Amino acid sequence: MAIGGWNMLKSFIADDLWKFLSIGLPVIISALSFILSLWYRFVDEREKNRPIIFISFHKYHENGFLNTELKIKNYGVSVGWIKNIEISPSFEVEENSNSLDPNRFTEFKNFPLAPQQEISFLIAVGKDAAIKYVENRHFLIEYEAHFSTRLFSKKTYVDNYSIDDKNYPKTFSDGHYTEEYRLKQINETLEK
């Protein structure tokens, strides 16, 4: 009886294992894929709703003066908390010029920036407040997003980029960028 019971038990285990593999395994795989798709959707939605903070550099002529300003703006759709800003090399003023404190952004710590909010600083105006322009100025911005979900409610983003502020295009009070276009307009006016 013991040998017959053992064969029956082996037959029962093989049948159950086969049923489990044919029914249970697809259910487990579909449940895992559903959980993974939920996770990817959560991460995707969070990235769509993140803050995007950049510093832009703007040189422009207005009222006969060459002005230079830095602007920090949140282009995203949620509040970003600025944790750290590094500018290297730091802005330096030319000798015998009045300083407008061109490195003020580096002092921002735990500063919130709302969606589409921007702050701009004039860092040089005319001849008396000239800064030294360089071909490779590196900006590093570290900011944090506070999301409404309790799980993974904070995420830190770091953006690095460089700007050639020596050759950065200048805009004029009429909104045009290139000096060639401006000279062409002046020549056309003079010809009339």
Side-chain angles (χ1 to χ4, degrees):
M1 219 27 157
I3 295 177
W6 178 251
N7 286 336
M8 191 170 120
L9 182 64
K10 283 193 331 185
S11 171
F12 181 72
I13 290 174
D15 286 343
D16 285 343
L17 184 61
W18 179 249
K19 287 178 188 174
F20 173 75
L21 288 176
S22 64
I23 297 171
L25 197 57
V27 169
I28 291 173
I29 290 173
S30 66
L32 287 175
S33 65
F34 178 71
I35 291 170
L36 280 174
S37 72
L38 285 178
W39 172 255
Y40 286 126
R41 192 175 314 156
F42 165 75
V43 170
D44 187 46
E45 283 298 315
R46 187 176 66 177
E47 289 302 308
K48 286 179 187 175
N49 295 322
R50 67 172 273 202
I52 302 169
I53 299 175
F54 284 110
I55 294 177
S56 59
F57 189 79
H58 187 193
K59 294 193 301 189
Y60 59 96
H61 283 280
E62 188 173 68
N63 300 327
F65 292 108
L66 173 63
N67 301 324
T68 305
E69 72 178 12
L70 282 181
K71 177 172 67 172
I72 188 165
K73 183 174 180 177
N74 182 354
Y75 294 93
V77 294
S78 63
V79 176
W81 288 80
I82 298 171
K83 296 297 180 185
N84 185 32
I85 295 177
E86 295 176 14
I87 302 173
S88 64
S90 295
F91 287 101
E92 295 179 25
V93 294
E94 294 283 353
E95 284 186 37
N96 302 325
S97 68
N98 297 328
S99 173
L100 293 175
D101 193 12
N103 299 299
R104 276 189 266 178
F105 279 157
T106 58
E107 298 168 7
F108 282 6
K109 304 286 186 240
N110 294 321
F111 184 81
L113 206 58
Q116 304 307 315
Q117 180 184 10
E118 66 182 51
I119 300 170
S120 55
F121 289 120
L122 201 57
I123 61 173
V125 177
K127 298 174 185 173
D128 293 335
I131 59 170
K132 295 179 183 176
Y133 297 114
V134 297
E135 291 184 1
N136 190 13
R137 192 171 313 273
H138 185 75
F139 294 91
L140 182 135
I141 305 170
E142 183 180 340
Y143 55 96
E144 193 173 80
H146 293 231
F147 298 105
S148 60
T149 58
R150 291 182 186 227
L151 182 67
F152 309 110
S153 65
K154 295 181 183 180
K155 182 169 182 192
T156 301
Y157 297 94
V158 178
D159 290 321
N160 314 323
Y161 53 95
S162 295
I163 293 178
D164 177 2
D165 51 50
K166 185 180 259 185
N167 299 308
Y168 201 83
K170 300 174 190 74
T171 58
F172 295 92
S173 55
D174 59 3
H176 294 95
Y177 278 93
T178 61
E179 293 177 29
E180 293 83 8
Y181 184 83
R182 181 73 169 179
L183 290 172
K184 179 183 167 198
Q185 275 191 326
I186 291 171
N187 286 334
E188 287 173 359
T189 306
L190 291 174
E191 287 175 3
K192 289 180 183 177

